[in-house]
Amino acid sequence: MGDETLAKSFERTGADYDRFRPGFPAAAARMLIPEPVGVALDLGAGTGKFTEQLLGRADRVIAVEPAAPMLDVLRSKFPDVEAFEGTAESIPVPDSSVDAVSVAQAFHWFDREPACAEIARILIPGGMLGLLWNHADPACAWDRAAHQIAHPAVADVDGTSASAAEDLPGFAFVERAELRWSERITRADYLGRWSTVSTFLVADDVTRTEMTQAIERILDRDPQTAERAEFDLPLVTDLFLYRRS
């Protein structure tokens, strides 16, 4: 199954993605935009999970997202955000018009070279780019086991952030931060979260049911989750910061 098929799977979801997916720590937005700026743009914004963190850190907040169902949810949540359909390779804003760009949980889907050129085009000289990914805390055995069910072809270490390299074309690497945090989540919402990931969305009904049942067995057996309606889920957010060259 190709990356394009997996990427397009998100076009069929919106409300469920917003309900079940985790947000991002406020510290990530503070690192990207330590002082208020004029314009911040969230690229591949989805339903606005990270867009929300930009509010109050810029005079104007722009969201760009290719999937209409996602954008509909974002617009309903944040009516003051300027939301546009668009892709990373064709961003509908003028040259040198943005102070900071964030890309949360999406850069690995982009066509890297043209996307970097397009992001550099819209940023002011010296403008900041932040790439973010949430992933499982490697110390959490039960969540790591669930990831292996949902992503059997992926190694124990989440490789989605591998697309963030120090030699990003058109940018100077600034720093990488690993932000550890946790959220309180119900068992039902934890299972619902898996229903919004790409491998579940493209699976047939039988496979999807089998994967869900396998994750339920993990929760039933682990002492941190067994017989509990809710529990703490540790998360790690990787943040990569760049400055436009």
Side-chain angles (χ1 to χ4, degrees):
M1 185 177 301
D3 286 347
E4 184 176 357
T5 300
L6 292 173
K8 286 184 176 294
S9 66
F10 295 113
E11 296 178 2
R12 302 198 299 269
T13 188
D16 284 349
Y17 188 101
D18 188 64
R19 174 184 172 185
F20 296 124
R21 286 297 185 98
F24 293 87
R30 290 195 298 268
M31 291 184 69
L32 173 62
I33 308 175
E35 299 293 337
V37 296
V39 182
L41 185 146
D42 195 21
L43 182 59
T47 62
K49 288 289 186 176
F50 190 73
T51 315
E52 180 176 14
Q53 298 292 354
L54 300 178
L55 299 174
R57 309 203 71 82
D59 296 332
R60 292 174 58 205
V61 176
I62 301 172
V64 175
E65 163 61 38
M70 297 279 199
L71 210 55
D72 288 344
V73 174
L74 187 151
R75 286 172 173 145
S76 68
K77 289 167 55 182
F78 309 117
D80 292 336
V81 171
E82 301 173 39
F84 303 103
E85 286 193 40
T87 67
E89 299 78 23
S90 181
I91 305 171
V93 301
D95 296 356
S96 302
S97 61
V98 175
D99 298 280
V101 171
S102 58
V103 183
Q105 218 73 23
F107 189 74
H108 56 288
W109 297 120
F110 296 171
D111 190 346
R112 188 172 182 269
E113 300 294 327
C116 285
E118 186 70 346
I119 295 169
R121 177 188 68 80
I122 68 168
L123 277 171
I124 64 170
M128 296 297 294
L129 167 64
L131 308 181
L132 305 94
W133 285 270
N134 284 331
H135 62 80
D137 187 327
C140 183
W142 56 270
D143 189 44
R144 190 173 68 249
H147 274 263
Q148 291 170 345
I149 296 297
H151 303 291
V154 177
D156 285 346
V157 177
D158 190 337
T160 52
S161 61
S163 55
E166 293 189 11
D167 62 345
L168 208 63
F171 292 87
F173 179 73
V174 176
E175 67 174 309
R176 175 183 179 178
E178 194 174 69
L179 308 175
R180 294 180 177 273
W181 57 293
S182 67
E183 65 171 332
R184 192 73 174 170
I185 190 169
T186 66
R187 176 186 172 114
D189 282 358
Y190 182 75
L191 293 170
R193 178 171 298 178
W194 287 113
S195 73
T196 69
V197 304
S198 56
T199 50
F200 274 71
L201 291 171
V202 300
D204 58 58
D205 290 342
V206 172
T207 302
R208 190 180 303 113
T209 298
E210 290 174 347
M211 289 193 294
T212 300
Q213 290 174 342
I215 294 175
E216 288 187 287
R217 287 193 293 271
I218 291 168
L219 298 179
D220 289 339
R221 294 169 182 168
D222 194 284
Q224 295 184 0
T225 55
E227 299 182 359
R228 296 187 182 184
E230 64 177 22
F231 32 78
D232 290 317
L233 173 62
L235 292 163
V236 179
T237 298
D238 275 336
L239 171 63
F240 298 78
L241 294 176
Y242 304 84
R243 182 175 289 106
R244 182 191 161 191
S245 300

